[in-house]
Amino acid sequence: MSNWIKIAPLSEFPQQGARVVRHDGKDIAVFRNAGDGVFAMNDKCPHKGGPLSQGIVSGNTVTCPLHGMNICFDDGKALAPDEGCVGTYPVKVEEGVVFLQI
Amino acid sequence: MDMTPPDKKMKLVMVGNGMAGVRALEELLKLAPDMYDVTVFGAEPHPNYNRILLSPVLAGEQTVDDIVLNPLDWYSENNITLHVGKKVVKIDRTHREVETSDGMRVGYDRLLLATGSNPFILPVQGADLPGVISFRDIADVDAMVQASSQYQHAVVIGGGLLGLEAANGLMKRGMQVSVVHIGPWLMERQLDEPAARLLQKSLEEKGMKFLLQKQTAELVRGESGRVCAIKFKDGDSAPADLVVMAVGIRPNTELAESSGLHCNRGVVVSDTMQTFDPRIYSVGECAAHRGIAYGLVAPLFEQAKVAANHLAQHGISRYQGSVTSTKLKVTGIDLFSAGNFGGGGQTEDIVLSDPVGGVYKKLVLQDNKLVGACLYGDTVDSAWYFQLLREGRNIADIRDHLMFGQSNLGDSGHAGQNKAAAMTDEMEVCGCNGVCKGTIVKAIKEKGLFTLDDVKKHTKAASSCGSCSGLVEQILSSTLGGDYSATPAVKPVCGCTERTHDEVRAAIRDHKLLSIPDTMKFLEWRTPDGCATCRPALNYYLISTWPGEARDDAQSRFVNERVHANIQKDGTYSVVPRMWGGTTNASELRRIADVADKYAVPMIRVTGGQRIDLFGIKKEDLPGVWADLDMPSGHAYGKALRTVKTCIGSEFCRFGTQNSTQMGIDLEKAFWKMWAPHKVKFAVSGCPRNCAEAAIKDVGIIGVDSGWEIYVGGNGGIKTEVAEFLVKVKTAEEVLEYSGAFIQVYREEARYLDRTVHWMQRVGMDYIKKRVLEDEAGRKALYQRLLYALSVEKDPWAERVKDGVAKHEFEVFSV
Ligand code: SRM
Ligand SMILES: Cc1cc2nc3c(=O)[nH]c(=O)nc-3n(C[C@H](O)[C@H](O)[C@H](O)COP(=O)(O)OP(=O)(O)OC[C@H]3O[C@@H](n4cnc5c(N)ncnc54)[C@H](O)[C@@H]3O)c2cc1C
Ligand code: SF4
Ligand code: FES
């Protein structure tokens, strides 16, 4: 448990964008925002399962590409008035490399 | 010993716990939740409630609990100190303190006065008797309900909006009600005479009595000490166990005046809602802005927003006054008025009058613009008229249909053919998201929603294709009365800014802004990097204004335009290659078939745009699919040129007058790769039989024996709009030049997400003709600018396949 998995250099992640990490048949969206914060959550919108990794990233949220729900990186919760929550994962950047704890 | 550190927050005190003030606090909490320690004083012993809905409460249709907007919990959750039942009697501006009637003193850094209005009480003898009240707050409603259970005769003085709603409620509570009115007809400030007569007739049918052109002389004291009758100046009298005075309101400026703030029919405020003492703000019915004190909530909420913006030190927003409209909240009566409905002067009237059928409509025009409307009996189109009025749109082109409403303009499509009032709760309003009327009404009442945007957010109704927006606005106004839904005529791009689309465009052009961060910085965006609404708009404005120079930011584009394919509900994509003018050949078809086999494509469709769509492609497979197809992108995913639909034309068809297929191919090859405010579709037909449906395209070309007719601004989507004739030309070169120039004006001037028709409705056909037909040099320049913009664009599929652009989009990390 709780071991950090090395993913890739931060430079491989587009600013204000995301990359998909596939682990054990499951997709995890790893986001990098404009301030170089890195966040990870299941790549599945709580509304109808839209791929969050494909959304527009602004501030600490991503807008789901299917019906526009806004999900906050900090806690995986949908911004009001929408409701819903998606699982998040710890991430860290060490010496320019992104690690994910699954 | 007090160990708490000194509090660095500023202190905000609000006087008046009513609708406008609390709305300002809500807006402030959104912008700067931690900036102030907030203390609120309210003279009434209640948390903030929806005063408007006192009428339905009186009528027994809702309860007091139903209309609470901010329960006590809301105040505590937001750390607001609330003092209900406490009246502020003094402002000490030197020491910056307020004082209540029971001697409590609280200091402030900023003060917000939202003291509302006081009902005007006629200065007649007996006005202070028990049983004589006004209609303003919960206490008044309690008194009326109480009286209705004991007494018979009610007299309402004042035949305006408030008086009629009071009379209706009392009647529903079983009293016999007479309405006394000094004017020659009811609601003369909102209605003209014919409409008022119809209203009076239907209220009389419900049992209401009217005493028009009567002046009150005295209220008579009965034996019990309570009022017992009303006497008029002409000597008549009427029995009255309850008298409700609804003869108008006066801004409540007592406190402001006593503390030396400048007042003139209200507390005088600037465009930032500041009084003459800049630490003191004022919003709501008590405030006079540019000489006007408003008495309806929609403008007050706009004021609240501006005050909050300023209190949060964003300081960019200004209140510029509002246009208001009226609706009467009496169940079963449809009435609407707005603007200068009386006419006169330079105006012209269009009138439809059917007194027997109970319908009356009057539209007042000036200089080809709608300046006033008064509708009785049929208010289906009120939201539309109100919008035309606020936007000041030129209506010359629709004048002959105007009276018959929006649905008669292009009599098909999904928009606005329903009538909200006639709908039952189970009927679907929003077809995209499956939202019924009942759900919307419930959300409006329970969550205290006031605007179209609120309803969109909470219920999802009208949040997709938007064709039911008008219907939702009708439901809002029939549920709440007034003009809640009235969105300002010029809207900001989104919540990240106060700037309108047009202002943003102008700044990008005039200051040569070349990137999104620069634009946001220059225009003082509120959020650090915008949102999913403004960024795509900014990106388009940048690349369309400065082609080849501005940075095209992929991360600010919606997924479809970033990936160059359409995302599907399951996260796969669809691929639509170009088939120029709807033509293809054996080798393309063979490659499509091979791709379908190789990638196990689950579905192949012939689209409504005359080409082939491959569905269910995995994102990782897209570059491979494109490489194997070896066909250019069809841009089926973009706000871009989509298809140029053609018919077979003179090469084969026995009726064909022109080679429409070739014309279509030429147009598509000339204009493909073109980004636009919204998608753009062309069609070319070879004769007036119009098999390519050119009349419902953004640009439709119809071949005739002597040349080509060009039509513009058609739309076959949500609301069908027939294209308008622009010009007839002789040669194919002219078709390219004229249609290209038209599209370039649209590209340079329309707002993001306007289809051509929406933009044309705003600017008018005359303007288009001036730019494209009358100004030859201008037309040629427009066309050249379009060609230049297109020359810097590349085929996005080829770029990704051959040059490896945006590789990261298509690769996943497997761990
Ligand atoms: C594929 C196609 C249906 C089909 O299988 O025939 C289609 C599919 C979609 N249409 Fe369409 N439209 C298709 C022809 C049309 C037509 C007919 C036409 O072009 O002749 C219309 C009416 C004509 C018009 O646009 O004026 C049409 C009016 C719309 C609208 C309403 C536009 C409007 O302004 O009212 C939307 C919504 C939007 O764009 O915001 C829309 C949106 C969509 C979207 C992109 C919805 C979305 O955002 O995901 C659909 C993508 C499906 C997908 O997953 O790939 N589609 N759509 C057609 C593609 C044509 C092509 O070859 O490119
Ligand atoms: C019956 C009725 C029906 C209406 N229908 C409509 C409608 O259909 N559409 C529409 O748009 N508008 C309607 N209105 C008008 C609308 O309710 C008002 O425009 C709106 O409530 C005004 O908001 P406000 O915050 O300025 O004042 P208010 O909501 O009146 O709030 C002011 C508050 O300040 C308190 N206060 C005053 N002085 C002090 C003091 N010194 N210390 C402490 N507290 C103080 C008052 O007690 C009051 O609670 C209606 C009004 C009524 C009464
Ligand atoms: S293809 Fe067009 S009409 Fe069909 S469901 Fe999708 S958007 Fe609606
Ligand atoms: S699936 Fe994300 S908003 Fe619908």
Side-chain angles (χ1 to χ4, degrees):
Chain A
M1 224 198 105
S2 94
N3 45 336
W4 290 94
I5 301 177
K6 181 173 164 182
I7 307 298
L10 182 63
S11 55
E12 302 263 320
F13 293 75
Q15 256 190 342
Q16 296 180 303
R19 296 287 301 260
V20 176
V21 175
R22 193 159 293 161
H23 176 78
D24 215 4
K26 207 163 103 182
D27 283 0
I28 298 170
V30 180
F31 298 92
R32 173 180 179 190
N33 71 6
D36 281 345
V38 180
F39 311 88
M41 54 175 72
N42 285 326
D43 196 13
K44 221 170 167 199
C45 176
H47 178 227
K48 290 191 176 171
L52 295 171
S53 56
Q54 309 302 302
I56 290 182
V57 174
S58 37
N60 267 14
T61 59
V62 60
T63 305
C64 176
L66 292 196
H67 317 98
M69 230 153 94
N70 294 303
I71 311 285
C72 181
F73 294 147
D74 302 327
D75 52 8
K77 286 201 180 119
L79 297 191
D82 289 319
E83 282 163 19
C85 186
V86 12
T88 59
Y89 299 86
V91 246
K92 63 178 180 186
V93 183
E94 262 172 23
E95 287 165 20
V97 177
V98 176
F99 291 82
L100 185 60
Q101 198 178 49
I102 305 177
Chain B
M1 193 174 62
D2 191 356
M3 295 292 290
T4 49
D7 201 340
K8 288 199 199 72
K9 283 193 191 176
M10 288 202 286
K11 287 193 279 272
L12 171 66
V13 171
M14 183 168 95
V15 184
N17 185 28
M19 298 185 73
V22 176
R23 175 52 74 104
L25 292 185
E26 287 178 340
E27 298 281 354
L28 178 62
L29 289 171
K30 274 193 239 163
L31 296 177
D34 300 318
M35 198 155 162
Y36 291 97
D37 265 331
V38 184
T39 305
V40 175
F41 290 97
E44 290 184 69
H46 305 282
N48 179 38
Y49 61 91
N50 192 341
R51 194 171 302 283
I52 291 135
L53 294 182
L54 287 177
S55 300
V57 170
L58 177 63
E61 293 161 0
Q62 285 188 47
T63 68
V64 168
D65 288 343
D66 289 343
I67 68 168
V68 169
L69 287 171
N70 303 77
L72 295 173
D73 292 351
W74 178 83
Y75 295 87
S76 52
E77 275 161 21
N78 290 291
N79 298 321
I80 295 171
T81 313
L82 172 67
H83 300 285
V84 293
K86 265 200 202 308
K87 187 170 172 183
V88 173
V89 291
K90 194 174 153 197
I91 306 171
D92 177 347
R93 285 166 53 204
T94 325
H95 296 98
R96 279 189 253 134
E97 278 184 347
V98 298
E99 188 181 325
T100 65
S101 54
D102 55 3
M104 180 173 177
R105 292 174 77 94
V106 173
Y108 67 84
D109 297 301
R110 297 285 180 276
L111 180 64
L112 178 57
L113 296 178
T115 48
S117 336
N118 290 323
F120 182 63
I121 301 296
L122 289 177
V124 293
Q125 194 184 336
D128 53 355
L129 286 176
V132 181
I133 60 169
S134 50
F135 185 19
R136 180 72 196 172
D137 53 27
I138 289 180
D140 294 329
V141 172
D142 287 343
M144 286 191 252
V145 172
Q146 177 74 25
S148 71
S149 64
Q150 291 179 38
Y151 303 100
Q152 262 281 279
H153 299 287
V155 168
V156 174
I157 308 181
L161 214 62
L162 215 56
L164 293 180
E165 290 185 7
N168 177 61
L170 291 168
M171 210 166 63
K172 287 222 163 154
R173 297 254 172 205
M175 296 189 84
Q176 283 179 20
V177 186
S178 303
V179 176
V180 175
H181 191 54
I182 193 167
W185 65 78
L186 298 174
M187 290 178 68
E188 73 274 4
R189 279 172 48 211
Q190 289 92 11
L191 298 181
D192 64 358
E193 182 166 2
R197 294 280 171 235
L198 283 173
L199 171 65
Q200 182 178 343
K201 191 170 142 236
S202 50
L203 290 172
E204 278 167 353
E205 280 163 11
K206 287 173 184 264
M208 216 179 272
K209 297 212 164 36
F210 291 95
L211 301 161
L212 293 185
Q213 287 179 293
K214 290 275 190 200
Q215 247 180 302
T216 308
E218 182 194 340
L219 300 175
V220 188
R221 182 172 187 268
E223 279 173 15
S224 63
R226 188 183 172 90
V227 66
C228 72
I230 178 168
K231 266 194 191 158
F232 301 107
K233 289 211 169 135
D234 61 8
D236 282 358
S237 69
D241 311 310
L242 173 71
V243 173
V244 180
M245 292 220 194
V247 289
I249 52 173
R250 296 286 177 276
N252 181 359
T253 55
E254 197 186 332
L255 180 63
E257 255 168 307
S258 70
S259 59
L261 288 175
H262 177 49
C263 295
N264 182 11
R265 272 174 271 155
V267 188
V268 175
V269 291
S270 64
D271 286 3
T272 50
M273 306 315 292
Q274 282 164 296
T275 67
F276 276 49
D277 177 343
R279 291 180 192 277
I280 305 183
Y281 293 72
S282 182
V283 295
E285 286 185 340
C286 58
H289 173 261
R290 300 187 188 174
I292 303 177
Y294 293 90
L296 291 168
V297 296
L300 306 185
F301 286 175
E302 283 177 48
Q303 295 178 348
K305 219 174 170 162
V306 173
N309 185 287
H310 212 262
L311 281 166
Q313 296 177 356
H314 285 291
I316 46 171
S317 105
R318 296 273 180 283
Y319 180 66
Q320 325 230 340
S322 306
V323 188
T324 59
S325 71
T326 300
K327 271 205 93 168
L328 184 70
K329 300 187 299 296
V330 172
T331 312
I333 293 195
D334 285 330
L335 172 162
F336 169 87
S337 87
N340 171 14
F341 60 87
Q346 301 294 304
T347 62
E348 307 153 60
D349 297 348
I350 307 180
V351 177
L352 180 153
S353 175
D354 175 6
V356 180
V359 175
Y360 173 82
K361 301 188 194 183
K362 174 166 155 191
L363 301 176
V364 183
L365 308 181
Q366 186 169 4
D367 301 331
N368 279 327
K369 287 183 181 149
L370 188 66
V371 296
C374 178
L375 311 177
Y376 185 87
D378 172 7
T379 53
V380 184
D381 285 301
S382 55
W384 183 56
Y385 290 134
F386 194 41
Q387 189 186 350
L388 293 178
L389 196 143
R390 277 174 303 162
E391 290 183 350
R393 139 138 152 71
N394 187 312
I395 50 86
D397 51 332
I398 51 168
R399 186 183 168 125
D400 47 349
H401 297 290
L402 199 60
M403 178 54 86
F404 307 107
Q406 189 175 23
S407 52
N408 276 288
L409 284 179
D411 197 15
S412 57
H414 183 265
Q417 75 274 54
N418 297 304
K419 186 172 169 179
M423 294 178 78
T424 61
D425 279 356
E426 298 74 43
M427 283 166 85
E428 189 173 78
V429 173
C430 173
C432 292
N433 298 302
V435 188
C436 301
K437 181 184 169 190
T439 313
I440 298 174
V441 172
K442 193 160 162 248
I444 293 172
K445 288 183 181 161
E446 287 181 0
K447 305 214 165 117
L449 311 183
F450 291 95
T451 65
L452 180 61
D453 278 347
D454 290 344
V455 175
K456 280 185 187 170
K457 280 195 204 121
H458 281 90
T459 68
K460 296 279 173 284
S463 64
S464 296
C465 82
S467 71
C468 59
S469 305
L471 202 54
V472 172
E473 295 210 336
Q474 283 179 41
I475 295 174
L476 266 163
S477 59
S478 63
T479 311
L480 293 171
D483 54 342
Y484 303 91
S485 49
T487 33
V490 276
K491 271 193 268 188
V493 174
C494 67
C496 301
T497 178
E498 287 296 318
R499 309 291 174 165
T500 63
H501 284 272
D502 298 344
E503 286 167 354
V504 171
R505 277 216 113 143
I508 289 174
R509 190 183 55 232
D510 300 345
H511 300 277
K512 196 157 186 186
L513 303 172
L514 292 176
S515 74
I516 291 177
D518 287 352
T519 310
M520 288 182 172
K521 201 163 150 222
F522 185 83
L523 294 173
E524 299 174 320
W525 237 242
R526 273 188 207 142
T527 47
D529 57 349
C531 70
T533 301
C534 59
R535 287 228 312 269
L538 290 179
N539 193 58
Y540 171 71
Y541 293 151
L542 286 161
I543 59 167
S544 59
T545 312
W546 302 111
E549 292 183 81
R551 192 168 84 86
D552 188 347
D553 177 25
Q555 300 309 136
S556 295
R557 284 181 177 265
F558 182 64
V559 55
N560 288 1
E561 292 186 357
R562 201 174 65 237
V563 182
H564 294 277
N566 281 63
I567 195 164
Q568 312 284 299
K569 59 193 282 188
D570 64 354
T572 63
Y573 291 82
S574 69
V575 169
V576 190
R578 286 250 167 232
M579 290 185 172
W580 308 104
T583 56
T584 181
N585 56 44
S587 113
E588 283 178 354
L589 291 172
R590 209 169 280 123
R591 295 203 298 275
I592 290 173
D594 289 342
V595 162
D597 282 342
K598 178 166 166 190
Y599 296 91
V601 174
M603 159 101 129
I604 310 175
R605 263 184 61 78
V606 175
T607 72
Q610 295 186 333
R611 46 197 189 166
I612 290 176
D613 198 342
L614 305 168
F615 288 94
I617 314 274
K618 290 199 217 52
K619 194 179 182 196
E620 302 94 282
D621 288 341
L622 286 171
V625 167
W626 296 333
D628 292 353
L629 284 174
D630 194 22
M631 290 165 76
S633 162
H635 294 85
Y637 47 78
K639 310 284 174 239
L641 180 79
R642 296 280 176 93
T643 55
V644 179
K645 199 163 170 170
T646 65
C647 74
I648 192 63
S650 58
E651 290 290 278
F652 294 92
C653 175
R654 66 197 167 110
F655 295 121
T657 63
Q658 300 284 355
N659 188 344
S660 49
T661 308
Q662 190 57 47
M663 184 74 251
I665 294 172
D666 292 349
L667 280 164
E668 191 165 349
K669 288 205 163 155
F671 298 154
W672 77 297
K673 299 181 288 192
M674 175 188 85
W675 299 111
H678 205 309
K679 58 192 178 191
V680 175
K681 297 175 177 181
F682 277 53
V684 190
S685 288
C687 85
R689 287 168 193 75
N690 197 7
C691 298
E693 298 164 335
I696 50 165
K697 294 290 179 274
D698 296 280
V699 179
I701 320 281
I702 297 179
V704 289
D705 209 51
S706 51
W708 304 92
E709 294 172 351
I710 302 181
Y711 294 80
V712 292
N715 189 320
I718 294 160
K719 169 111 172 62
T720 311
E721 302 277 357
V722 175
E724 282 192 65
F725 176 73
L726 176 68
V727 65
K728 191 175 136 190
V729 295
K730 284 212 171 59
T731 64
E733 290 71 41
E734 285 171 305
V735 171
L736 284 160
E737 180 177 310
Y738 281 76
S739 57
F742 165 77
I743 284 295
Q744 183 64 9
V745 190
Y746 165 66
R747 293 183 74 241
E748 289 178 0
E749 296 179 8
R751 297 175 194 158
Y752 189 65
L753 297 187
D754 273 345
R755 284 289 290 266
T756 49
V757 60
H758 307 129
W759 161 71
M760 275 174 54
Q761 284 179 347
R762 219 171 30 245
V763 301
M765 193 64 185
D766 288 347
Y767 176 74
I768 311 276
K769 287 186 174 151
K770 205 164 81 203
R771 298 289 306 272
V772 179
L773 305 185
E774 290 156 27
D775 174 5
E776 190 191 330
R779 174 177 67 243
K780 290 194 186 312
L782 280 165
Y783 185 51
Q784 287 311 317
R785 288 208 290 281
L786 174 62
L787 295 183
Y788 175 73
L790 291 167
S791 71
V792 304
E793 294 292 342
K794 302 203 179 84
D795 173 15
W797 289 0
E799 268 189 311
R800 279 154 185 74
V801 171
K802 301 206 177 83
D803 313 333
V805 168
K807 252 169 97 170
H808 63 83
E809 279 290 349
F810 307 98
E811 289 168 357
V812 300
F813 297 121
S814 289
V815 296

